[in-house]
Amino acid sequence: MNILITGASGFIGSHVLKALLNSDHSVTACMYHSEITEACKIFKVDYMQMQHVKDWLPLLQDIDVVINCVGIIAESSQVKFNVMHHLAPIALFEACQQHCIKKVIQVSSLGADDSAIVPYHKTKKLADDYLIQSTLDYLVLKPSLVYGQDGESYHFFKRLSNLPVIPIIGKGQQLIQPVHIDILVNAITTYLNSNTNGKMAIDVVGPKDMSYQHWMQSLRTKKSKYYFLSIPFKLMMFIAKIAKFFGSKLLSPDNLTMLMQNSTADVTPLQKFLSEEKK
C-alpha cells in the first residue's frame, strides 16, 4: 500500500516510519524537521500552515492509507494545540474523504474523551470526534504514557528516578499505565497488514497499572540509597508554572493535571485486537 505518515520526525512517528520502511509498503513521510531518508519520499511540512483541505490535497495523490502522528506536549510561540491537534488534522481528514482514502489511523491520547480538562486532551478529542463522524474507515489509537529508550519523557523520568531524593506529588499514588512504543507500533502495523476495515477506537496501555512512585522505582538503575520527597500538589503546580516560564515542556501545570487524573484503561480490548488480527 501507499502510506502517508504525518509527524514522522517525532518520537512516535519516527518509530512508526522505521517499521513501515522495513515492510513492503511505499511510504511518504511528512515531517517538520526534514531528515534525509532515501527509502521514502519526504515532504517538509509546517503543520501550523496546514489548516485547509487544499493544503493537504497535493500530498494525497495515489495514497491508500494515512497515519496521523502529529502531536505536541506543550505550546510555544510557534506551535499551538488548537492547530496541531485539531484544525490541521480535521483538514487532513476532510481531504482524505475527498480522495476516498481507504484507511486513516489517528494517534490520539488516553484521556481525550468527555472527561478532558487540559487543552492537550480537548484538542485531540475534537479531531477524534470529527474522524469518528466521518465516512472514513479509521482506527483511533489512544495511548497512555508512551515510553522508549530514545523518548524525551523516558529520559526525563529516568533522570528523576536516579536522584538521591526523588520528588513525588503527595504520596505518589497517582495511577499510570505506561506502554512501550513497540506495542503502539505493533497495533498500527497489525491493522495495516490485516484485511480489517470499518471504524475502531482502542485504548493502548501497558499490561497493568502502577502508581507513579512504583514507576519511579522501576526506572531507577542506581544502587545507592534514595528517598522520596513528598511535595503538595499546590506547591508542585507553582514549581511547574515557574519551570514552564523557563521553557520546560514536560514539567508543566497541564502535565501535572493529567498525571493527577490517573491515566489507566482496560488492556483487554488491545490484547484481543492484536491476537485476533494475527490469526
Side-chain angles (χ1 to χ4, degrees):
M1 289 184 291
N2 296 325
I3 300 173
L4 177 79
I5 175 173
T6 66
S9 57
F11 170 58
I12 292 175
S14 62
H15 279 263
V16 176
L17 177 60
K18 183 179 179 180
L20 294 176
L21 294 178
N22 290 328
S23 69
D24 295 328
H25 302 299
S26 175
V27 184
T28 299
C30 298
M31 52 182 69
Y32 182 68
H33 301 290
S34 180
E35 289 85 3
I36 301 300
T37 304
E38 295 181 358
C40 68
K41 185 186 297 184
I42 299 290
F43 285 110
K44 186 175 181 180
V45 174
D46 180 355
Y47 300 105
M48 290 293 291
Q49 306 303 318
M50 304 295 285
Q51 301 181 44
H52 305 286
V53 174
K54 62 180 178 62
D55 301 323
W56 290 105
L57 289 175
L59 306 183
L60 296 178
Q61 298 296 328
D62 301 318
I63 295 296
D64 301 308
V65 178
V66 168
I67 306 173
N68 180 41
C69 295
V70 173
I72 57 172
I73 195 61
E75 291 186 319
S76 69
S77 58
Q78 288 79 36
V79 292
K80 302 296 180 183
F81 286 127
N82 192 46
V83 176
M84 302 291 283
H85 293 174
H86 171 209
L87 299 179
I90 283 180
L92 171 59
F93 300 154
E94 189 174 342
C96 287
Q97 288 187 100
Q98 292 189 18
H99 256 289
C100 298
I101 299 298
K102 294 179 182 178
K103 296 179 179 179
V104 173
I105 300 174
Q106 159 78 341
V107 179
S108 181
S109 173
L110 194 66
D113 51 36
D114 291 336
S115 67
I117 298 174
V118 298
Y120 176 86
H121 282 151
K122 287 182 176 180
T123 50
K124 284 280 190 181
K125 181 181 184 300
L126 289 171
D128 296 349
D129 288 348
Y130 183 90
L131 180 58
I132 290 169
Q133 294 169 11
S134 73
T135 60
L136 295 162
D137 285 337
Y138 64 79
L139 173 64
V140 175
L141 295 172
K142 296 189 172 186
S144 179
L145 171 64
V146 182
Y147 69 94
Q149 292 293 332
D150 56 335
E152 184 179 353
S153 63
Y154 177 81
H155 285 289
F156 174 77
F157 289 120
K158 190 82 170 176
R159 288 194 296 269
L160 282 181
S161 73
N162 281 298
L163 293 174
V165 178
I166 305 172
I168 57 175
I169 303 174
K171 295 182 179 180
Q173 295 306 300
Q174 302 82 13
L175 293 178
I176 56 176
Q177 205 163 345
V179 59
H180 195 275
I181 181 63
D182 289 348
I183 296 177
L184 177 58
V185 172
N186 186 23
I188 291 173
T189 55
T190 297
Y191 181 69
L192 290 175
N193 296 329
S194 72
N195 295 320
T196 300
N197 289 308
K199 305 172 185 293
M200 292 187 290
I202 301 175
D203 295 331
V204 182
V205 294
K208 61 180 181 179
D209 58 32
M210 64 178 72
S211 69
Y212 177 77
Q213 181 176 331
H214 185 195
W215 171 241
M216 288 292 98
Q217 291 172 320
S218 69
L219 291 177
R220 187 174 178 86
T221 53
K222 287 188 176 181
K223 302 300 182 181
S224 56
K225 196 170 184 178
Y226 65 93
Y227 303 91
F228 286 108
L229 175 62
S230 176
I231 302 177
F233 177 68
K234 289 184 178 180
L235 177 57
M236 198 67 203
M237 286 291 281
F238 177 73
I239 295 172
K241 289 177 182 178
I242 296 175
K244 182 180 179 181
F245 179 79
F246 286 101
S248 173
K249 293 182 179 180
L250 292 173
L251 182 57
S252 70
D254 281 359
N255 287 341
L256 289 181
T257 300
M258 287 191 284
L259 176 62
M260 296 299 290
Q261 284 186 280
N262 294 328
S263 183
T264 63
D266 183 5
V267 70
T268 306
L270 172 65
Q271 293 174 334
K272 184 177 179 181
F273 167 75
L274 293 176
S275 61
E276 288 185 350
E277 293 303 319
K278 288 180 179 180
K279 289 180 180 178

